[in-house]
């Protein structure tokens, strides 16, 4: 069962207290910089986690900036679109609200998921940066910790992503095997523990090195985890060796 730390109380909270009841995830941003994108990314991961657990979700964007450029940048990072009208939520009878905000932002009522900023000293990503590598670099840092996106960090993320995509494509040539129950449980325990995405990434590194694990099971494990990560890890299937 998913538990997140409510920034209001400091206590673990169930963001979906009603079984199969609707949860409203509302992202608040006041700029169009990397910190705003990080807030939207955390909200996106929360939505994906809730959906993997069978909870219906309504995503709402509350932004104090011109939205078109922000939406374009978010889409490039694989962040799904957020609605802007509250009328939909009222019609669906949303029973729970989770506000995803930059740390220190005040919002009305509901559970608050606080996100640390991206270090402004790093500046914008260099031109030509792979958006998926940027997404991975942000996912690799616990949301409660400031993220530093220097060139070395982005290059390491790009190299990891390239390696994983090529390796996954190679594993896909082996007979398919189900995700081992023990690994599936570890993955779910990580992302249900306050959205511990860095923990999910560590498990994937361990799976790649696990001796005796069939390659078909490794492939299915990475494909399963990518439902949360949205890194297009299976993108290179069928590409020339």
């Amino acid at each position: 069962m998913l538990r997140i730390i409510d920034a209001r109380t400091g206590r673990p909270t169930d963001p979906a207290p009603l079984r199969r009841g609707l949860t409203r995830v509302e992202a608040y941003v006041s700029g169009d910089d990397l910190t705003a994108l990080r807030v939207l990314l955390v909200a996106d991961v929360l939505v994906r986690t809730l959906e993997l657990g069978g909870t219906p979700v309504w995503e709402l964007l509350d932004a104090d900036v011109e939205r078109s450029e922000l939406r374009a940048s978010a889409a490039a990072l694989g962040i799904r679109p957020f609605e802007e009208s509250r009328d939909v939520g009222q019609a669906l009878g949303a029973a729970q609200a989770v506000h995803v905000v930059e740390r220190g932002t005040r919002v009305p009522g509901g559970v608050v998921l606080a996100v640390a900023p991206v270090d402004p000293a790093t500046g914008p990503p260099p031109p030509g940066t792979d958006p998926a590598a940027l997404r991975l670099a942000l996912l690799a840092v616990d949301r409660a910790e400031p993220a530093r996106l220097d060139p070395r960090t982005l290059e390491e993320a790009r190299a990891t992503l390239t390696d994983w995509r090529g390796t996954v494509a190679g594993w896909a040539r082996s007979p398919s095997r189900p995700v081992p129950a023990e690994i599936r449980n570890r993955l779910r325990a990580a992302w249900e523990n306050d959205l511990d995405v860095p923990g999910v990434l560590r498990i994937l590194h361990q799976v790649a090195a696990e001796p005796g694990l069939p390659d078909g099971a490794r492939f299915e494990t990475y494909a399963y985890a990518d439902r949360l990560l949205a890194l297009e890890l299976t993108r290179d299937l069928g590409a020339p060796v």
Side-chain angles (χ1 to χ4, degrees), residues 10 27 47 50 58 62 75 89 111 123 131 136-137 140 153 178 182 187 191 217 222 225:
V47 169
L50 288 167
W58 176 52
D62 192 316
V111 177
L136 175 56
T153 298
E182 184 268 339
L187 287 169
W191 69 55
Y222 273 62

Side-chain angles (χ1 to χ4, degrees), residues 8-204:
R8 292 185 191 277
T9 65
R11 298 177 180 175
T13 303
D14 182 358
L18 297 179
R19 182 173 175 79
R20 306 302 180 186
L22 179 70
T23 293
R24 187 176 84 245
V25 174
E26 186 163 0
Y28 290 77
V29 296
S30 57
D32 58 0
D33 56 6
L34 286 172
T35 295
L37 285 177
R38 191 183 192 196
V39 170
L40 292 178
L41 178 57
V42 171
D44 181 69
V45 170
L46 174 59
V47 169
R48 292 172 187 272
T49 303
L50 288 167
E51 290 179 342
L52 283 169
T55 298
V57 186
W58 176 52
E59 306 116 295
L60 177 68
L61 172 64
D62 192 316
D64 295 332
V65 296
E66 204 286 316
R67 291 173 169 82
S68 60
E69 186 172 341
L70 178 64
R71 286 185 176 279
S73 299
L77 253 63
I79 298 170
R80 294 182 297 187
F82 282 57
E83 296 282 350
E84 295 186 28
S85 172
R86 289 173 173 76
D87 295 340
V88 178
Q90 294 169 356
L92 294 175
Q96 171 74 304
V98 181
H99 306 292
V100 185
V101 304
E102 182 181 354
R103 189 169 59 196
T105 303
R106 294 181 178 275
V107 294
V111 177
V112 175
L113 201 62
V115 181
V118 174
D119 186 347
T122 60
T129 298
D130 182 351
L134 177 57
R135 181 180 177 104
L136 175 56
L138 288 170
L139 291 175
V141 182
D142 187 288
R143 72 162 194 282
E145 300 295 329
R148 185 172 179 82
L149 301 176
D150 53 43
R152 179 179 178 180
T153 298
L154 291 173
E155 174 56 26
E156 289 176 350
R158 185 205 63 77
T160 297
L161 190 61
T162 299
D163 176 66
W164 277 358
R165 285 172 172 171
T167 303
V168 167
W171 291 335
R173 299 185 181 94
S174 299
S176 179
R177 294 289 186 271
V179 180
E182 184 268 339
I183 294 176
R184 183 186 293 268
N185 290 340
R186 284 164 56 199
L187 287 169
R188 294 191 69 92
W191 69 55
E192 290 181 351
N193 178 26
D194 197 33
L195 301 181
D196 182 12
V197 181
V200 172
L201 297 173
R202 287 192 295 270
I203 292 169
L204 291 185

